[in-house]
């Protein structure tokens, strides 16, 4: 079911992109993609890329597809699969409609924060987090495209680290996090730091792109957009904090033999997690 949903959305978006290219060539007699002069062609391209990236209001497929696939596949879907559409958006950004992009971006950040509030599945929460972060990347692509790339790299590093931690502990729901401290205390601390970074708390790495994006928006007098983005970041931070509260500040009754299992059990191989944690959380202090 998830594969069919993903295929239908991506195939539809690809067809719309091809239609926009052919329509632009028909109207302007040139195949140039990076300087699209026809307004309808740029609108179609923007909407198609919004479908591919999962921007609101085309975001409905992202939580459903992410929920229906394993953690490793979800990790690839929310990281690697974002690179191609973002690179196209980066290259055609000079010819895009700014009002449409800002509308898509702000609605994505608000819906990404609002939609994750009542979720209990971690994969759906990370999917809504992805929608919100895509909004942050899209809003700045016309003003300062290099900030979009910086935000994407930091988001990919943090999401990879979270999915690796969840995959290692076989955790997919919030209520399963209550026993995570017993299973692996170091993993719990790592997860807490990465989630705080993804939420954008200083002095962690995730604060840097949000800070720079808000600064750029204020310089260009987009005060309303900056305020909406800052408020939506609070919604994201709320459900990150809920995950942290469940995994670190609650310990449900259990027998004594299950406590501190991590201290006596042999550790699994975790080669990528330390490096990903440093990149996603400690770059700004370093």
């Amino acid at each position: 079911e998830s594969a069919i949903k993903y295929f239908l959305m991506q195939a539809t978006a690809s067809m719309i992109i091809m239609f926009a290219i052919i329509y632009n060539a028909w109207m302007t007699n040139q195949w140039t993609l990076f300087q699209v002069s026809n307004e309808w062609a740029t609108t179609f391209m923007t909407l198609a890329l919004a479908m591919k990236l999962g921007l609101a209001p085309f975001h409905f497929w992202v939580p459903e597809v992410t929920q229906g696939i394993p953690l490793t596949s979800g990790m690839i879907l929310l990281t690697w699969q974002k690179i191609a559409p973002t690179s196209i958006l980066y290259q055609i950004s000079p010819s895009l409609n700014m009002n449409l992009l800002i509308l898509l971006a702000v609605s994505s950040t608000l819906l990404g924060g609002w939609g994750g509030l009542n979720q209990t599945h971690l994969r759906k929460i990370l999917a809504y987090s992805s929608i919100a972060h895509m909004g942050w990347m899209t809003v700045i692509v016309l003003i300062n495209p290099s900030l979009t790339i910086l935000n994407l790299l930091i988001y990919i590093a943090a999401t990879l680290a979270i999915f690796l931690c969840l995959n290692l502990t076989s955790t997919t729901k919030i209520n399963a996090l209550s026993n995570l401290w017993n299973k692996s205390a170091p993993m719990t601390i790592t997860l807490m730091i990465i989630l705080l970074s993804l939420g954008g708390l200083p002095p962690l790495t995730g604060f840097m792109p949000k800070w720079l994006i808000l600064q750029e928006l204020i310089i260009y007098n987009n005060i309303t957009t900056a305020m909406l983005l800052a408020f939506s970041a609070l919604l994201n931070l709320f459900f990150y904090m809920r995950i942290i509260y469940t995994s670190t500040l609650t310990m449900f009754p259990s027998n004594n033999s299950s406590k501190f299992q991590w201290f006596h059990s042999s550790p699994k191989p975790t080669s990528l997690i330390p490096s990903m944690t440093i990149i996603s959380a400690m770059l700004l202090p370093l």
Side-chain angles (χ1 to χ4, degrees), residues 16-36:
I16 294 171
I17 289 175
M18 291 174 68
F19 170 75
I21 294 168
I22 294 168
Y23 180 75
N24 182 65
W26 179 46
M27 296 299 291
T28 61
N29 293 321
Q30 60 179 350
W31 288 95
T32 307
L33 183 61
F34 303 137
Q35 293 292 334
V36 182

Side-chain angles (χ1 to χ4, degrees), residues 140-177:
I140 203 67
V141 73
L142 283 176
I143 299 171
N144 193 341
S146 57
L147 279 183
T148 301
I149 303 300
L150 174 71
N151 200 338
L152 180 66
L153 292 174
I154 291 172
Y155 164 75
I156 285 176
T159 308
L160 278 175
I162 288 175
F163 269 101
L164 287 171
C165 290
L166 296 177
N167 190 40
L168 198 72
T169 55
S170 304
T171 309
T172 56
K173 290 186 178 180
I174 283 188
N175 58 3
L177 288 171

Side-chain angles (χ1 to χ4, degrees), residues 94-123:
S95 56
L96 292 179
N97 185 345
M98 185 169 187
N99 292 329
L100 178 61
L101 267 186
I102 287 179
L103 178 65
L104 289 170
V106 172
S107 58
S108 297
T109 52
L110 290 171
L111 279 167
W114 200 259
L117 292 178
N118 61 344
Q119 301 298 329
T120 57
H121 291 270
L122 291 169
R123 281 172 292 189

Side-chain angles (χ1 to χ4, degrees), residues 187-221:
M187 200 62 66
T188 310
I189 296 166
T190 304
L191 196 64
M192 181 179 69
I193 293 170
I194 300 166
L195 284 169
L196 288 175
S197 175
L198 204 58
L201 282 184
L204 303 170
T205 312
F207 171 65
M208 180 166 52
K210 288 183 170 61
W211 174 32
L212 294 173
I213 287 170
L214 290 176
Q215 190 177 5
E216 286 288 320
L217 288 172
I218 290 167
I219 289 171
Y220 284 88
N221 290 322

Side-chain angles (χ1 to χ4, degrees), residues 241-252:
M241 292 298 292
R242 191 176 58 169
I243 298 173
I244 293 167
Y245 173 78
T246 310
S247 58
T248 57
L249 298 178
T250 59
M251 187 175 286
F252 284 80

Side-chain angles (χ1 to χ4, degrees), residues 121-147:
H121 291 270
L122 291 169
R123 281 172 292 189
K124 274 193 175 181
I125 287 176
L126 290 170
Y128 279 109
S129 167
S130 167
I131 294 166
H133 278 87
M134 287 300 123
W136 280 89
M137 292 173 214
T138 310
V139 77
I140 203 67
V141 73
L142 283 176
I143 299 171
N144 193 341
S146 57
L147 279 183

